[in-house]
Amino acid sequence: MKQFIKKSLLLFVVVLFTATLSAKTPKYIFYCIGDGMSFAHVTMTQLFYEHGNYNDGQESVVFLDFPVHSAVRTHANNSFVTCSAAAGTALATGHKTNLEHIGIGPDKQPLTSIAKQLRDKGYGVGIITSGQINDATPAAFYASQMRNESYLIGKEGADSQFDFLAGSAWKQPLPKDLSQPRLPDYYREKGYTICRGPQAYEAQKGSDKILLLDADTTLTSWLPYYIDRKPGQLGLEFMVQAGIETLYDKKQKKGFFMMIEGASIDHASHPNDLATAIQETIEFNRSVRLAYEFYKKHPNETLIIVTADHETGGLTIGQNSSLVIYPEYVNYQKISKEALSKLISSMRQTGEIDSWEKTKKILAQNTGLWDKIPVNEAEEAQLMQCYYKTIVKKNSEKEITLYSQSEPLAAEAIALFSKKVGVGWTTFSHTGSVVPFYAIGCEADRFKSVNDNTDIPNTIRKVMKIK
Ligand SMILES: [Zn+2]
């Protein structure tokens, strides 16, 4: 009997020891948010990788192979369909709030983000976005303001003292009250080295606190779309690489927390620009792949989470009773709808497009319509009618969506492009559908049961033993 008790006790100690060992705390956390990224965006991107003659089929959506999958609800406190401010707040703080509220509850009281809590526990923090550094999603991790207070949000970015901040630019870098400092001055005052573009980062890396922005100092919008970007320009992948390098270097820290936002999946989906949205999802995926490469080097210490704040556009794969999809057509669109619109606008003003044949050639070069994608007579007649109305008769009413105004001809051509690929869109805004969730790495299993966006930071808190 005594022997039995001894053996049982030993077994109990071994089980307890193993349990303690397995309940590890991740040292490195990557929190990747595809703004506006739905299940359909992810699926279309994977279909494009498989059938779009893209890098010989070598690439894939890396997070589709992550072992933990879920779907999360995104609704705001006061709306079934959310916005990036309320959704960002839920993802950063674990609390539902009202639309347009960032890091504050419906009562306007400040909420605490997991990024700040981890900073206070001695972790390095990086906040990275392809949008403006003081737009809603990144802001939810450091600020407590209404969304339209971009200048004040920007100030809170510097106050956060996070180690690495990266984005396109500042939305509203100047104060309304001129006695207040300009944001660039404020960041320098707070100890940040401001690197403008990849070359400046290379020259100044190793600085204590870094703010990495696009080289274009006049920019107040998001980075140029991936599809329009020129070689050497700042992109999300570069920012993530720089962020990993900067944060991993800080040996005095316990580890790091990095938020990575693919902001322009949303910006491209508002105007229902499929190819641009897919290319943005590709860039986001490549950035997640950098985190995955890091995980492979530190598999027992790294946790990667991938999700979205909400779905944008109501993208569906299949439309109008058709089951036929042509993902390879995504290859043929060469510029974004926004760039096509600007091109048509300027050519209209200079009188360069003075015939339907010339117009058709420009559309074909930039979208693949006619050249690579068959267009029937009725479809061409519709585009031609739009040409006569808006270019010949100069009766141009622009299509207005949240972030853009498009030339009607660009809008018609890009809508036809989606139809030809075989996808549908239901809205120029967000939808209330569930969004995807994926995780891999240290303690990823603990995220198996997340089904609401607030569960994600709350589970991170449990894993990191934060009260
Ligand atoms: Zn949006």
Coordinates of all heavy atoms in Angstrom, one line a residue, residues 35 84 266 270 310 312 402-403 430, ligand 1:
D35 N -7.2 44.1 -42.6 CA -8.3 45.0 -42.5 C -9.3 44.7 -43.6 O -8.9 44.8 -44.8 CB -7.9 46.4 -42.5 CG -8.9 47.4 -41.9 OD1 -10.1 47.3 -42.4 OD2 -8.6 48.1 -41.0
S84 N -13.7 50.0 -38.3 CA -12.3 49.7 -37.9 C -12.0 50.2 -36.5 O -11.2 49.7 -35.8 CB -11.2 50.2 -38.9 OG -11.3 49.5 -40.0
D266 N -8.8 46.5 -47.0 CA -10.1 47.3 -46.8 C -10.2 48.4 -47.9 O -11.3 48.6 -48.5 CB -10.1 47.8 -45.4 CG -11.3 48.8 -45.1 OD1 -12.4 48.3 -45.0 OD2 -11.1 50.0 -45.0
H270 N -13.5 48.6 -50.5 CA -14.6 49.6 -50.5 C -15.0 49.9 -51.9 O -16.2 49.8 -52.2 CB -14.1 50.9 -49.8 CG -14.4 50.8 -48.3 ND1 -15.6 51.0 -47.7 CD2 -13.5 50.5 -47.3 CE1 -15.5 50.8 -46.4 NE2 -14.2 50.6 -46.1
H310 N -13.0 43.2 -39.7 CA -14.4 43.0 -40.3 C -14.2 42.7 -41.7 O -13.1 42.7 -42.2 CB -15.2 44.4 -40.1 CG -14.4 45.5 -40.7 ND1 -14.3 45.7 -42.1 CD2 -13.7 46.5 -40.1 CE1 -13.5 46.8 -42.3 NE2 -13.2 47.3 -41.1
T312 N -15.0 43.6 -45.7 CA -15.4 44.8 -46.5 C -15.8 44.3 -47.9 O -15.1 43.5 -48.6 CB -14.2 45.7 -46.6 OG1 -13.8 46.1 -45.3 CG2 -14.6 47.0 -47.3
L402 N -16.4 55.2 -49.8 CA -15.8 55.8 -48.6 C -14.5 56.5 -48.9 O -14.3 57.6 -48.4 CB -15.7 54.7 -47.5 CG -15.1 55.2 -46.2 CD1 -16.1 56.3 -45.6 CD2 -14.9 54.1 -45.2
Y403 N -13.5 55.8 -49.6 CA -12.2 56.4 -49.7 C -11.9 56.9 -51.1 O -10.8 57.4 -51.3 CB -11.2 55.4 -49.3 CG -11.2 54.9 -47.9 CD1 -11.6 53.6 -47.5 CD2 -10.9 55.8 -46.8 CE1 -11.7 53.2 -46.2 CE2 -10.9 55.4 -45.5 CZ -11.3 54.1 -45.2 OH -11.4 53.7 -43.9
H430 N -18.8 48.0 -45.1 CA -18.5 46.7 -44.4 C -19.7 45.8 -44.3 O -20.8 46.3 -44.5 CB -18.0 47.0 -43.0 CG -16.8 48.0 -42.9 ND1 -16.5 48.7 -41.8 CD2 -16.0 48.4 -43.9 CE1 -15.5 49.4 -42.0 NE2 -15.1 49.3 -43.3
Ligands
ZN1 ZN -13.3 50.1 -44.1

